[in-house]
Amino acid sequence: MSDENKDLASQDTAAERRAAQPGRPAVEAKRVHKAFGDLHVLKGIDMKVMPGTVTVILGPSGSGKSTFLRLINQLETLTGGEIDVNGEMIGYKRLADGTLQTLNDKEVAAQRAKLGMVFQKFNLFPHMTALENVMEAPVHVKRMPKAQARELAAKELTRVGLGDRLDYYPSQLSGGQQQRVAIARALAMKPEIMLFDEPTSALDPELVGEVLGVMRQLADEGMTMIVVTHEIGFAKEVADQVVFMDGGVVVESGGPGIIDDPKEPRFKDFLQHVL
Amino acid sequence: MPHHVEPDGEGLPIPNRISAKPVRRTGSIVAAVVVAILAAMLVKGLVTNPRFEWNIVWKYLFNERVLEGVGYTLLLTVISMVVAIVLAVILAIMRKSVNPVLRGVSWFYIWFFRGTPVYTQLVFWGLFAVLIPRLSIGIPLTSVEFWSVDSQTVITAFNAAWIGLALNEAAYLAEIVRAGLEAVDPGQAEAAQALGMKRSMIMRRVILPQAMRIIIPPTGNETIGMLKTTSLVLAVPFTLELQYATNAIANRIYKPIPLLIVASIWYLLITSILMVIQSMLEKHFGKGFEARPVGTKGKQPPLPGKTEGEPKDDVDKTNEAAFLGYNA
Ligand SMILES: Nc1ncnc2c1ncn2[C@@H]1O[C@H](COP(=O)(O)OP(=O)(O)OP(=O)(O)O)[C@@H](O)[C@H]1O
Ligand SMILES: [Mg+2]
């Protein structure tokens, strides 16, 4: 309960901070296409995500939401178009003669370091404790000394409310706790942008709240977030931008107000089914 | 680590705690007695039977040549298994590579070494120095040569023996390793990638440690199999290992049975040690997998890093934590 009060208190300052962010988008998708073999999944997605804002992507199953997030994090390769993160094209660099050169592993890893990702199935490392999960990347990717990484990991875990679960293995934690460890693990790399792919879909209903609570707190702190979710309440409350995708295209987008006042029949239809 | 058995929720304020005698199991007691009697009869029959000539068994159990044989058998087993495991991991990773040449080489290796008898391979390695008298490093198809050596000095009988065993074993182990790698959820690699880890690091830190859980039991089997396969190195011929040594003594003194028993005792002893090592490895790589979530059915596993001195403390914390968890 005290947590909630804290959230409310910090909310207007975060909102102000967001409103004050002008200029360059944190993520910009330009006519993005993706095909798996003959299956044309994304058919020209345009999207701008400003720094410090929360974008919620809604859409029916199979509309390509996960695919879009995975493209931003280079877990899939683009078929057409371009994605920029902080103004820098991802996955390729443009050579002097205008042709594209695929980036090597190291360059891709460097670009990924700016992005944190949280998966529907948590994907925690089961052979490591919560603390070790969170320490892993700082120690082995950033070469941070172990003692310092341990301190950082404990701090991140405390931040998501798991300060007393440091030495638990994922299999000893509830789904909601596991997902919060996964969020802490991503945060420990100090990403500028967080991507969430249906972070609460694999959870029992009573555990959804604790994960959304952590995400809300992150949004209030001014983290740039792209969230794929079916939690309409969360979208209304936290989103600065709502994007509705269907059939591989953006059907409707705008402020959170569009949820209460949808224009497109397909969006109306979708909302009726979800609510 | 001693197994600390402790009733659930010890130290919690549970006024109506149940204390009951366990289920009576008369049937299993009877069965145990019957089996024990049968076992005792068997042991007595073996020990008192004069035809087994236990005095000779005892005399040769610690014979110098026998002990040397035990040493070589162990050495051959360990070297060839270590080399085979390293090779197998490389082969399995090559098999899953994006590079078709590497995939092809790995496939061919496994096809060839699994497809021919290990005995034949050992004979070949024994003849290596005859077939290929000099080993050299240079530019292929030219006469440029940076370094060369007589095969005979490199491929000694002992080296031929472990090379032959290891190369053959690697082909089998590679398939075991591959199955282990494939059993790891692809989401694991994705999560690691998303954290900025590079491919080799993901393999080393995330995939392999989890695959080990699946790889170890069949590899234990293979190791114990290898212990006995070492007796085939007489094909090289290498004649100092246990089976050959006891055989030689048996032929000399015309007492085959007691010396077979000598060899069996040593093989059993080594197998037992290997089994202990296997179970320790299984425990190590099973960390995080055997555990059940707090508050589910069954006993809570001992907490990692917990010392014996503070169990109560931890239980209290656990409860508090569960409480907070639902509020957050
Ligand atoms: N690796 C792949 N190979 C082939 N097809 C794929 C692959 N990944 C996704 N697809 C296909 O792309 C389409 C979009 O999938 P995606 O997972 O992006 O949908 P989604 O909007 O996230 O759906 P959901 O709400 O069910 O998660 C689906 O038809 C799916 O079958
Ligand atoms: Mg999805």
Side-chain angles (χ1 to χ4, degrees), chain A residues 143-184:
Chain A
R143 307 260 159 234
M144 186 185 283
K146 272 208 172 144
Q148 192 187 340
R150 179 166 295 132
E151 209 171 296
L152 168 72
K155 203 186 85 199
E156 293 297 349
L157 283 167
T158 307
R159 183 165 152 198
V160 298
L162 292 171
D164 48 17
R165 287 288 198 272
L166 303 184
D167 293 329
Y168 280 55
Y169 283 97
S171 58
Q172 295 170 309
L173 297 171
S174 73
Q177 292 169 335
Q178 288 186 53
Q179 192 59 296
R180 287 187 282 153
V181 174
I183 294 172

Coordinates of all heavy atoms in Angstrom, one line a residue, chain A residues 143-184:
Chain A
R143 N 31.9 -6.9 -18.2 CA 33.1 -7.1 -17.5 C 33.2 -6.4 -16.1 O 34.2 -5.8 -15.8 CB 34.3 -6.7 -18.3 CG 34.3 -7.4 -19.7 CD 35.3 -8.6 -19.7 NE 34.9 -9.4 -20.8 CZ 34.6 -10.7 -20.6 NH1 34.7 -11.3 -19.5 NH2 34.3 -11.5 -21.7
M144 N 32.0 -6.3 -15.5 CA 32.0 -5.6 -14.2 C 32.6 -6.5 -13.1 O 32.3 -7.7 -13.2 CB 30.5 -5.3 -13.9 CG 30.3 -4.4 -12.6 SD 28.5 -4.3 -12.3 CE 28.1 -3.1 -13.5
P145 N 33.4 -6.0 -12.2 CA 33.9 -6.9 -11.1 C 32.7 -7.5 -10.4 O 31.6 -6.9 -10.2 CB 34.6 -5.9 -10.2 CG 34.9 -4.7 -11.0 CD 33.8 -4.6 -12.0
K146 N 32.9 -8.8 -9.9 CA 31.8 -9.5 -9.3 C 31.2 -8.9 -8.1 O 29.9 -8.9 -8.0 CB 32.3 -10.9 -8.9 CG 32.2 -11.9 -10.1 CD 32.1 -13.3 -9.6 CE 31.8 -14.2 -10.8 NZ 32.4 -15.5 -10.7
A147 N 32.0 -8.3 -7.3 CA 31.4 -7.7 -6.0 C 30.5 -6.6 -6.4 O 29.4 -6.5 -5.9 CB 32.6 -7.2 -5.2
Q148 N 30.9 -5.8 -7.4 CA 30.1 -4.7 -7.8 C 28.8 -5.1 -8.4 O 27.7 -4.6 -8.2 CB 30.9 -3.8 -8.7 CG 30.3 -2.5 -9.1 CD 31.1 -1.8 -10.2 OE1 32.3 -2.1 -10.4 NE2 30.5 -0.8 -10.8
A149 N 28.9 -6.2 -9.3 CA 27.8 -6.7 -10.0 C 26.8 -7.3 -9.0 O 25.6 -7.2 -9.1 CB 28.2 -7.8 -10.9
R150 N 27.3 -7.9 -7.9 CA 26.4 -8.5 -6.9 C 25.6 -7.4 -6.2 O 24.4 -7.6 -6.0 CB 27.3 -9.3 -5.9 CG 26.5 -9.9 -4.8 CD 27.3 -10.9 -4.0 NE 27.6 -12.1 -4.9 CZ 28.8 -12.6 -5.0 NH1 29.8 -12.1 -4.2 NH2 29.0 -13.6 -5.8
E151 N 26.3 -6.3 -5.9 CA 25.6 -5.2 -5.3 C 24.5 -4.7 -6.2 O 23.4 -4.4 -5.8 CB 26.7 -4.1 -5.0 CG 26.4 -3.2 -3.8 CD 27.6 -2.4 -3.6 OE1 28.7 -2.9 -3.2 OE2 27.5 -1.2 -3.7
L152 N 24.9 -4.5 -7.5 CA 24.0 -4.0 -8.4 C 22.8 -4.9 -8.6 O 21.6 -4.5 -8.5 CB 24.6 -3.8 -9.8 CG 23.7 -3.6 -11.0 CD1 23.2 -2.2 -11.0 CD2 24.5 -3.8 -12.3
A153 N 23.0 -6.2 -8.6 CA 21.9 -7.2 -8.8 C 21.0 -7.2 -7.6 O 19.8 -7.2 -7.7 CB 22.5 -8.6 -9.0
A154 N 21.6 -7.1 -6.4 CA 20.8 -7.0 -5.2 C 19.9 -5.8 -5.2 O 18.7 -5.8 -4.8 CB 21.7 -7.1 -4.0
K155 N 20.5 -4.7 -5.7 CA 19.7 -3.4 -5.7 C 18.5 -3.6 -6.7 O 17.4 -3.2 -6.4 CB 20.7 -2.3 -6.2 CG 20.2 -0.9 -5.7 CD 21.0 0.2 -6.3 CE 20.6 0.5 -7.7 NZ 21.6 1.3 -8.5
E156 N 18.8 -4.1 -7.9 CA 17.8 -4.3 -8.9 C 16.7 -5.2 -8.4 O 15.5 -5.0 -8.7 CB 18.3 -4.8 -10.3 CG 19.3 -3.8 -10.9 CD 18.6 -2.5 -11.4 OE1 17.3 -2.4 -11.3 OE2 19.3 -1.5 -11.7
L157 N 17.1 -6.3 -7.8 CA 16.1 -7.2 -7.3 C 15.2 -6.6 -6.1 O 14.0 -6.8 -6.0 CB 16.8 -8.5 -6.8 CG 17.2 -9.4 -7.9 CD1 18.1 -10.5 -7.4 CD2 16.0 -10.1 -8.6
T158 N 15.9 -5.8 -5.3 CA 15.1 -5.1 -4.3 C 14.1 -4.1 -4.9 O 13.0 -4.0 -4.5 CB 16.1 -4.3 -3.4 OG1 17.1 -5.2 -2.9 CG2 15.4 -3.7 -2.2
R159 N 14.6 -3.5 -6.0 CA 13.7 -2.5 -6.7 C 12.4 -3.2 -7.2 O 11.4 -2.6 -7.2 CB 14.5 -2.0 -7.8 CG 13.8 -0.9 -8.6 CD 14.9 -0.2 -9.4 NE 14.4 0.4 -10.7 CZ 15.2 0.7 -11.7 NH1 16.5 0.5 -11.6 NH2 14.6 1.2 -12.8
V160 N 12.5 -4.5 -7.6 CA 11.3 -5.2 -8.1 C 10.6 -6.0 -6.9 O 9.8 -6.8 -7.2 CB 11.6 -6.1 -9.3 CG1 12.1 -5.3 -10.5 CG2 12.5 -7.2 -8.9
G161 N 11.1 -5.7 -5.7 CA 10.4 -6.3 -4.5 C 10.9 -7.7 -4.2 O 10.2 -8.4 -3.6
L162 N 12.1 -8.0 -4.6 CA 12.5 -9.4 -4.4 C 13.9 -9.4 -3.6 O 14.7 -10.3 -3.7 CB 12.7 -10.1 -5.7 CG 11.4 -10.4 -6.4 CD1 11.7 -11.0 -7.8 CD2 10.6 -11.4 -5.6
G163 N 14.1 -8.4 -2.8 CA 15.3 -8.3 -2.0 C 15.5 -9.5 -1.1 O 16.6 -9.8 -0.7
D164 N 14.4 -10.2 -0.8 CA 14.6 -11.4 0.1 C 14.6 -12.7 -0.6 O 14.4 -13.7 0.0 CB 13.4 -11.3 1.2 CG 12.1 -11.1 0.5 OD1 12.0 -11.3 -0.7 OD2 11.1 -10.7 1.2
R165 N 14.7 -12.6 -1.9 CA 14.7 -13.9 -2.7 C 16.0 -14.1 -3.5 O 16.0 -14.8 -4.5 CB 13.5 -13.8 -3.7 CG 12.2 -14.0 -3.1 CD 12.0 -15.4 -2.6 NE 10.6 -15.8 -2.4 CZ 10.0 -15.6 -1.3 NH1 10.6 -15.1 -0.2 NH2 8.7 -15.9 -1.1
L166 N 17.1 -13.4 -3.1 CA 18.3 -13.4 -3.9 C 18.8 -14.8 -4.3 O 19.2 -15.0 -5.4 CB 19.4 -12.6 -3.2 CG 19.0 -11.1 -2.8 CD1 20.2 -10.5 -2.2 CD2 18.5 -10.4 -4.0
D167 N 18.8 -15.7 -3.3 CA 19.4 -17.0 -3.5 C 18.5 -18.1 -3.9 O 18.8 -19.2 -3.8 CB 20.2 -17.4 -2.2 CG 21.3 -16.4 -1.9 OD1 21.9 -15.9 -2.9 OD2 21.6 -16.2 -0.7
Y168 N 17.3 -17.7 -4.3 CA 16.3 -18.7 -4.8 C 16.6 -19.0 -6.3 O 16.9 -18.1 -7.0 CB 14.9 -18.1 -4.6 CG 14.4 -18.2 -3.2 CD1 15.0 -17.7 -2.2 CD2 13.1 -18.9 -3.0 CE1 14.6 -17.8 -0.9 CE2 12.6 -19.0 -1.7 CZ 13.4 -18.4 -0.7 OH 12.9 -18.5 0.6
Y169 N 16.4 -20.3 -6.6 CA 16.4 -20.6 -8.0 C 15.1 -20.3 -8.6 O 14.0 -20.3 -7.9 CB 16.7 -22.1 -8.1 CG 18.2 -22.4 -7.9 CD1 18.6 -22.9 -6.7 CD2 19.1 -22.2 -8.9 CE1 20.0 -23.1 -6.5 CE2 20.5 -22.5 -8.7 CZ 20.9 -22.9 -7.5 OH 22.2 -23.2 -7.3
P170 N 15.0 -20.1 -9.9 CA 13.8 -19.8 -10.6 C 12.7 -20.8 -10.3 O 11.5 -20.4 -10.0 CB 14.1 -19.8 -12.1 CG 15.5 -19.4 -12.1 CD 16.2 -20.0 -10.9
S171 N 13.0 -22.1 -10.2 CA 12.0 -23.1 -9.9 C 11.4 -23.0 -8.5 O 10.5 -23.6 -8.2 CB 12.6 -24.5 -10.1 OG 13.7 -24.6 -9.3
Q172 N 12.1 -22.2 -7.6 CA 11.6 -22.0 -6.3 C 10.7 -20.7 -6.2 O 10.3 -20.3 -5.1 CB 12.7 -21.9 -5.3 CG 13.5 -23.2 -5.2 CD 14.8 -22.9 -4.4 OE1 15.6 -22.0 -4.6 NE2 15.0 -23.8 -3.4
L173 N 10.5 -20.1 -7.3 CA 9.8 -18.8 -7.3 C 8.4 -18.9 -8.1 O 8.3 -19.7 -9.0 CB 10.6 -17.7 -8.0 CG 11.9 -17.3 -7.3 CD1 12.7 -16.4 -8.2 CD2 11.7 -16.7 -6.0
S174 N 7.5 -18.1 -7.7 CA 6.2 -18.1 -8.4 C 6.4 -17.4 -9.7 O 7.4 -16.8 -10.0 CB 5.1 -17.3 -7.6 OG 5.4 -16.0 -7.6
G175 N 5.4 -17.6 -10.6 CA 5.5 -17.0 -12.0 C 5.7 -15.5 -11.9 O 6.6 -14.9 -12.6
G176 N 5.0 -14.8 -11.0 CA 5.1 -13.4 -10.9 C 6.5 -13.0 -10.4 O 7.0 -12.0 -10.9
Q177 N 7.0 -13.7 -9.5 CA 8.3 -13.4 -9.0 C 9.4 -13.7 -10.1 O 10.3 -12.9 -10.2 CB 8.6 -14.3 -7.8 CG 7.8 -13.9 -6.6 CD 7.9 -14.9 -5.4 OE1 8.2 -16.1 -5.7 NE2 7.6 -14.5 -4.2
Q178 N 9.2 -14.8 -10.8 CA 10.1 -15.0 -11.9 C 10.2 -13.9 -12.9 O 11.2 -13.5 -13.4 CB 9.8 -16.3 -12.6 CG 10.0 -17.6 -11.8 CD 9.8 -18.9 -12.6 OE1 10.3 -19.0 -13.7 NE2 9.0 -19.7 -12.0
Q179 N 9.0 -13.4 -13.3 CA 8.9 -12.4 -14.2 C 9.6 -11.1 -13.7 O 10.2 -10.3 -14.4 CB 7.5 -12.1 -14.7 CG 7.3 -11.2 -15.9 CD 8.0 -11.8 -17.1 OE1 9.2 -11.9 -17.2 NE2 7.2 -12.1 -18.2
R180 N 9.4 -10.9 -12.4 CA 10.1 -9.7 -11.8 C 11.6 -9.8 -11.8 O 12.3 -8.9 -12.0 CB 9.5 -9.4 -10.4 CG 8.1 -8.8 -10.5 CD 7.6 -8.4 -9.1 NE 7.2 -9.5 -8.3 CZ 7.2 -9.5 -7.0 NH1 7.7 -8.5 -6.3 NH2 6.8 -10.6 -6.3
V181 N 12.1 -11.1 -11.6 CA 13.5 -11.3 -11.7 C 14.0 -11.0 -13.2 O 15.0 -10.4 -13.4 CB 13.9 -12.8 -11.4 CG1 15.4 -13.0 -11.6 CG2 13.6 -13.0 -9.9
A182 N 13.2 -11.4 -14.1 CA 13.5 -11.2 -15.5 C 13.6 -9.7 -15.8 O 14.5 -9.3 -16.6 CB 12.5 -11.9 -16.4
I183 N 12.7 -8.9 -15.2 CA 12.7 -7.5 -15.4 C 14.0 -6.9 -14.8 O 14.7 -6.1 -15.4 CB 11.5 -6.8 -14.8 CG1 10.2 -7.3 -15.6 CG2 11.6 -5.3 -14.8 CD1 8.9 -6.8 -15.0
A184 N 14.3 -7.4 -13.6 CA 15.5 -6.9 -12.9 C 16.8 -7.3 -13.7 O 17.7 -6.5 -13.8 CB 15.6 -7.5 -11.5

